[in-house]
Amino acid sequence: MSEQNVEVAAPYGGGAADAKPSTPAKRIRTHHLREMKERGEKISMLTAYDMYTAQTFDEAGCELLLVGDSASNNVLGNETSLPITVDELLPLTRAVSRSVKRALVVGDLPFGSYQASPEQGYLTAVRFMKEAGAHAVKLEGGAEMAPVIEKLTHGGIPVMAHIGFTPQSEHTLGGYRVQGRGESSDRVIADAHAVQEAGAFAVVMEMVPGDVAGQISKELVIPTIGIGAGNQCDGQVLVWQDAFGLRTGRMAKFVKQYADLHGVLLSAAEEYVADVRATTFPGPDHTF
Ligand code: KIV
């Protein structure tokens, strides 16, 4: 065979089908999460916005992957989660749902895409399910969002609610603040019950005092997923660039950094630049 005809490894990644072979995994369904709660097993969720992170976090055993509107400030370069649009988030969601074997993929409904009416929310959520292959959607808000949650769940769309600090409302809430301290705990507790009553299959609680989140987790039958809400929640979620150190700078108190990916990437990129300048890359091993 001439050298020209020899098959070479895919030069730029082989797509979602290129994932490491593994034993067939049973897809996580919403009832599995409820059963995990009943058994006292904790649920892990991370954000993911692309193929390789989705494959890696799925392989690591995360039950839930959230294609968060946090892509706005972690992928698209915006300052907050507010500017991201449905059309920007759909392709990221599609990449993640194509790439997982086991995890349940949750698409996050962007600001302004569901608050106007239950009908608006339903039509947006349908796009996430049909066009992007999401298995569920997440939306922010408590009791005031009950009609939207009801509309979606009656229409066949599993909904994860999000209460406590809701980043899409940061201007109404007066910035990043813990919600549910002191007397305002009643409102967060009422929100948790309202979203469960409306049909949500799980609820994210963000920046809620640990004792309040613990009480809610005991009272609800649906799983609670905490971010800055202590370890008594039924599960935890973190934004992956925060958790694994791709993002640098000041982190929220609730973030634990498990790696320094910025440092690893920076030194690899610096080594590459030095090799290119010195013409030590490509060497004979990387030349046809
Ligand atoms: O968009 C997101 O990443 C989120 C998490 C912070 C829960 O909503």
Side-chain angles (χ1 to χ4, degrees), residues 5 82 93 117 121 136 153 163 192 238 242 277:
N5 290 334
L82 296 188
T93 309
S117 65
T153 52
I163 62 170
L238 284 173
D242 295 349
R277 287 182 184 157

Side-chain angles (χ1 to χ4, degrees), residues 45-49 66-74 81 89 108 138 140 160 162 165 167-168 204-206 225-227 237-240 242 254:
M45 171 155 123
L46 281 170
T47 63
Y49 317 97
L66 170 66
V67 191
D69 62 354
S70 52
S72 180
N73 42 316
N74 285 284
S81 62
L89 202 48
D108 214 2
K138 177 169 84 59
E140 295 185 8
M160 174 178 277
H162 183 158
F165 178 74
Q168 293 177 9
V204 168
M205 295 195 282
E206 182 162 353
I225 310 290
I227 174 162
V237 58
L238 284 173
V239 170
W240 83 258
D242 295 349
F254 58 76

Side-chain angles (χ1 to χ4, degrees), residues 39-270:
R39 290 195 297 266
E41 293 169 17
K42 298 292 181 184
I43 298 163
S44 303
M45 171 155 123
L46 281 170
T47 63
Y49 317 97
D50 68 10
M51 179 179 80
Y52 287 125
T53 54
Q55 286 173 353
T56 307
F57 302 157
D58 192 35
E59 195 182 331
C62 284
E63 283 82 18
L64 289 160
L65 291 187
L66 170 66
V67 191
D69 62 354
S70 52
S72 180
N73 42 316
N74 285 284
V75 177
L76 300 185
N78 297 312
E79 250 177 51
T80 69
S81 62
L82 296 188
I84 199 166
T85 65
V86 172
D87 287 330
E88 286 171 329
L89 202 48
L90 284 176
L92 309 187
T93 309
R94 201 178 302 126
V96 171
S97 55
R98 274 187 193 137
S99 304
V100 297
K101 291 189 160 66
R102 174 177 176 270
L104 189 150
V105 176
V106 182
D108 214 2
L109 302 188
F111 176 58
S113 72
Y114 60 94
Q115 289 93 342
S117 65
E119 288 68 29
Q120 185 208 21
Y122 186 71
L123 294 175
T124 306
V126 164
R127 292 194 66 194
F128 275 83
M129 307 294 282
K130 279 172 96 108
E131 296 175 36
H135 308 129
V137 299
K138 177 169 84 59
L139 56 81
E140 295 185 8
E144 76 283 8
M145 280 298 139
V148 183
I149 297 171
E150 272 168 20
K151 175 81 182 169
L152 270 55
T153 52
H154 289 163
I157 300 175
V159 178
M160 174 178 277
H162 183 158
I163 62 170
F165 178 74
T166 45
Q168 293 177 9
S169 308
E170 74 160 270
H171 299 296
T172 311
L173 297 174
Y176 275 68
R177 288 159 181 271
V178 174
Q179 305 292 310
R181 273 200 174 122
E183 283 177 9
S184 68
S185 65
D186 287 351
R187 192 180 49 75
V188 179
I189 294 167
D191 279 342
H193 283 275
V195 298
Q196 169 172 284
E197 197 62 32
F201 74 88
V203 57
V204 168
M205 295 195 282
E206 182 162 353
M207 294 212 289
V208 172
D211 56 340
V212 178
Q215 181 187 333
I216 292 172
S217 302
K218 284 200 188 81
E219 288 179 10
L220 296 193
V221 294
I222 60 171
T224 59
I225 310 290
I227 174 162
N231 68 0
Q232 292 175 56
C233 296
D234 303 306
Q236 299 293 330
V237 58
L238 284 173
V239 170
W240 83 258
Q241 290 91 341
D242 295 349
F244 305 139
L246 189 58
R247 184 162 84 81
T248 56
R250 202 164 147 257
M251 292 291 145
K253 177 181 162 74
F254 58 76
V255 173
K256 177 173 174 186
Q257 286 204 310
Y258 290 85
D260 172 23
L261 289 190
H262 172 75
V264 171
L265 269 182
L266 181 64
S267 60
E270 283 171 347

